[in-house]
Amino acid sequence: MSPEAAQAADAEHKRRMRILVALFMTQFFGMLSNTIIGNSMPVIVAEIGGNQGQYAWVMTSGILANTITTPIAGKLADLLNKKTLYLFGISVFMLGSLLSGMAWGPESLIAFRVLQGIGMGTQVTLSQVIMATVVPPRERGRYNGHMGAVFAVATVSGPLIGGLIVDVPFLGWRWTFWIVIPFMAIALYTVHRRLHLTRDRGRKVSVDYLGAMFIAISATLVLLWMSMVGRDFDAISGETAVLLGTALISSLIFGLIESVALEPLIPLGILLERTTMLTIVANIALGTAMFGTNVYLGQYFQYGLGYSPTVAGLLGLPMIFGIVIASTLTGQWISRSGTWKKYVVVGMACLVVAYGIGSFVGADTPLWILLVLLAIGGTGLGATNQNLILAVQNSVGLANMGAATSSVMFFRNFFGAIGIQLLGLVYGLAVEAGVAARLGAEVAGRIAGSSSSLDLNALDAATQTAVRAAYADGLGPVFAVIGVMSLFGLVAVLLMPGTSLRLTVDKAS
């Protein structure tokens, strides 16, 4: 490369980075809002009140709104001005964050979390789409590595940051929502000044509102069922039949609508494309591992091993380091080689190894073994998460980039939300069985019913020891479920075609 070409390439890299830093910032704080309130929820409930059902919905309402908004935002990105839509998403997210921090009761907090989730789904989806319109797939690996690390670190580090904020006397739980606002304002200004995009004026704007309604109904009902089954009604019951039956019918209607819509929300041709379809299968494991590990590791460290929330967050650092290192290195290697499949396969294999061995984790497991497994699991997540999206983006043209990207992100978030509920059921049953084996069924039922507000220090020494051992032993079955999902994910990525990344932003017709 001549000195002039090198100078031009360096200038282009700096131009992109000015834009991408703003994208990274919105990606980080958008995803952080999903997990940062985890350790502050007991404090929030103590101040504004709320029952167990409301407690759960404060946690899941934002994720649900984010999940439903993702495919809608992705399709709108193909039809409207991406910059305007992105700025709108940032603004809605900031408003939702401001109002959430001002909540006066559980109902208002749930409503404001929905608003926050709508903004989050829009801005996170558009950050992926805008990157795809600015950087060709072959060069995108180096930047994708950074974005993958940002996404994963935000997901895993949320409880640590939230715990630190709550522990600072002059801040308090409201700042878990407000802390993102100044950073998002900087991103808003940067995008407004630096990003210059126009939409294709040759396409007719036709928004698939009917399809959006039915996919929202289907996703909402499935997540409602997952959050209520076993607590409000049995798995085999009339409520189950109504919720899942209606969700199935809504999904079938959605498929029919997409097959005839002028501008389908999720084009079936893209959804059934081999790379996209197999990526969705792999995302069952990725979504569950990304979101579920973080949630139940906290219970393992706090209830099982007796660590404080802050220390429990610090013990998750090996996973964060694994994610950051793997995301960065694989991104650079992919940009140099132009191929992605081998890195994704190795990453998914790391997940199989980490969670497969992790299925044997229990009360007597040395801490260093678990930390090594978390580092291996983080390496797997870092090598697969963003690079699978890159593979899908490489398989479609620019006109359908938003729909393809948002489809993958929708299913990752959707399966992540379902995975949290599934792992919660597995963990709860394992803890209850462990306590029953040590102290009897009556004590086990009482402990399982109060897990979100359980004060182990208030128990007598013998009971506390037994309950902690049960919580520690319960992590093994949780990891086993993720390990089985990861095995299916490994098969899926092995079946993917090993395509080469193109050097152009758009796909040749």
Side-chain angles (χ1 to χ4, degrees):
M1 182 182 294
S2 65
E4 293 78 11
Q7 186 176 7
D10 184 63
E12 176 65 13
H13 173 67
K14 291 179 179 178
R15 184 190 70 83
R16 289 173 179 171
M17 285 305 301
R18 282 194 292 267
I19 298 172
L20 295 180
V21 165
L23 302 186
F24 296 158
M25 191 178 297
T26 58
Q27 181 95 333
F28 180 83
F29 287 103
M31 296 309 303
L32 188 72
S33 66
N34 271 338
T35 57
I36 194 173
I37 64 172
N39 283 337
S40 61
M41 278 307 300
V43 180
I44 296 175
V45 171
E47 180 170 330
I48 66 175
N51 55 38
Q52 289 283 49
Q54 292 168 327
Y55 180 106
W57 272 104
V58 169
M59 296 290 293
T60 58
S61 57
I63 298 176
L64 178 60
N66 175 17
T67 301
I68 295 172
T69 303
T70 295
I72 300 173
K75 190 58 190 180
L76 290 176
D78 291 334
L79 302 175
L80 305 175
N81 186 284
K82 295 176 178 61
K83 176 180 176 178
T84 302
L85 190 59
Y86 189 46
L87 294 176
F88 170 78
I90 296 174
S91 301
V92 172
F93 178 77
M94 291 172 63
L95 177 61
S97 300
L98 175 65
L99 294 175
S100 294
M102 298 169 63
W104 54 86
E107 295 84 2
S108 62
L109 182 55
I110 291 171
F112 297 147
R113 282 278 290 165
V114 170
L115 184 63
Q116 190 185 39
I118 292 172
M120 174 174 57
T122 302
Q123 70 182 32
V124 171
T125 302
L126 265 293
S127 66
Q128 296 274 5
V129 175
I130 289 173
M131 174 183 278
T133 63
V134 173
V135 186
R138 177 64 181 268
E139 300 177 42
R140 203 178 304 150
R142 62 192 297 196
Y143 304 105
N144 255 358
H146 300 317
M147 183 169 278
V150 166
F151 174 86
V153 170
T155 303
V156 177
S157 64
L160 171 60
I161 298 173
L164 292 173
I165 291 174
V166 171
D167 287 340
V168 175
F170 58 86
L171 292 179
W173 68 266
R174 296 183 186 275
W175 278 96
T176 60
F177 299 105
W178 291 342
I179 193 172
V180 304
I181 296 176
F183 296 99
M184 299 304 293
I186 296 172
L188 185 71
Y189 174 80
T190 302
V191 171
H192 174 70
R193 289 291 304 273
R194 301 287 185 182
L195 183 63
H196 304 285
L197 296 173
T198 57
R199 71 176 176 91
D200 182 1
R201 298 286 178 179
R203 297 184 68 183
K204 181 180 179 180
V205 176
S206 175
V207 181
D208 183 15
Y209 294 111
L210 196 59
M213 181 181 72
F214 278 99
I215 196 173
I217 291 172
S218 181
T220 300
L221 291 177
V222 171
L223 293 178
L224 271 174
W225 179 79
M226 290 296 297
S227 67
M228 298 170 70
V229 68
R231 186 182 70 239
D232 298 311
F233 51 79
D234 294 331
I236 302 177
S237 63
E239 292 87 347
T240 292
V242 170
L243 289 174
L244 294 187
T246 306
L248 177 60
I249 293 172
S250 298
S251 298
L252 294 175
I253 294 175
F254 171 75
L256 292 174
I257 292 172
E258 298 307 278
S259 65
V260 298
L262 178 63
E263 288 285 355
L265 193 66
I266 301 179
L268 297 183
I270 293 176
L271 195 63
L272 297 178
E273 196 273 332
R274 182 178 174 185
T275 299
T276 305
M277 184 170 56
L278 291 173
T279 296
I280 290 172
V281 174
N283 270 331
I284 297 176
L286 291 179
T288 303
M290 181 73 73
F291 296 109
T293 301
N294 177 52
V295 172
Y296 299 104
L297 268 180
Q299 292 195 38
Y300 173 82
F301 286 134
Q302 293 180 56
Y303 288 155
L305 303 185
Y307 293 113
S308 68
T310 300
V311 174
L314 291 172
L315 290 174
L317 288 177
M319 174 167 277
I320 295 177
F321 292 148
I323 291 171
V324 172
I325 294 172
S327 295
T328 303
L329 291 180
T330 57
Q332 293 176 354
W333 294 336
I334 287 172
S335 288
R336 292 171 186 168
S337 66
T339 59
W340 55 269
K341 181 175 178 177
K342 59 185 177 182
Y343 304 107
V344 171
V345 170
V346 172
M348 195 62 71
C350 286
L351 291 178
V352 174
V353 171
Y355 289 101
I357 298 176
S359 64
F360 298 99
V361 168
D364 299 326
T365 303
L367 182 60
W368 69 268
I369 292 180
L370 179 58
L371 297 182
V372 170
L373 293 177
L374 292 179
I376 297 173
T379 300
L381 289 173
T384 53
N385 185 41
Q386 203 68 16
N387 292 328
L388 280 175
I389 293 179
L390 174 62
V392 172
Q393 290 175 336
N394 187 63
S395 67
V396 299
L398 191 58
N400 290 310
M401 191 66 68
T405 303
S406 63
S407 297
V408 175
M409 294 178 65
F410 169 81
F411 285 105
R412 182 182 61 194
N413 293 341
F414 181 61
F415 288 127
I418 290 179
I420 289 176
Q421 299 292 342
L422 174 62
L423 296 181
L425 177 63
V426 171
Y427 200 16
L429 291 174
V431 170
E432 188 172 357
V435 175
R438 294 172 173 87
L439 300 175
E442 182 180 350
V443 176
R446 187 170 68 251
I447 296 297
S450 60
S451 59
S452 63
S453 58
L454 181 62
D455 182 7
L456 293 182
N457 293 323
L459 303 175
D460 62 81
T463 303
Q464 183 180 144
T465 299
V467 172
R468 289 196 185 281
Y471 270 98
D473 288 339
L475 187 66
V478 169
F479 276 16
V481 172
I482 301 176
V484 172
M485 292 181 177
S486 299
L487 187 59
F488 283 104
L490 177 60
V491 174
V493 298
L494 285 171
L495 294 175
M496 288 181 179
T499 56
S500 297
L501 299 177
R502 62 176 185 262
L503 293 170
T504 58
V505 172
D506 203 358
K507 186 177 182 181
S509 57

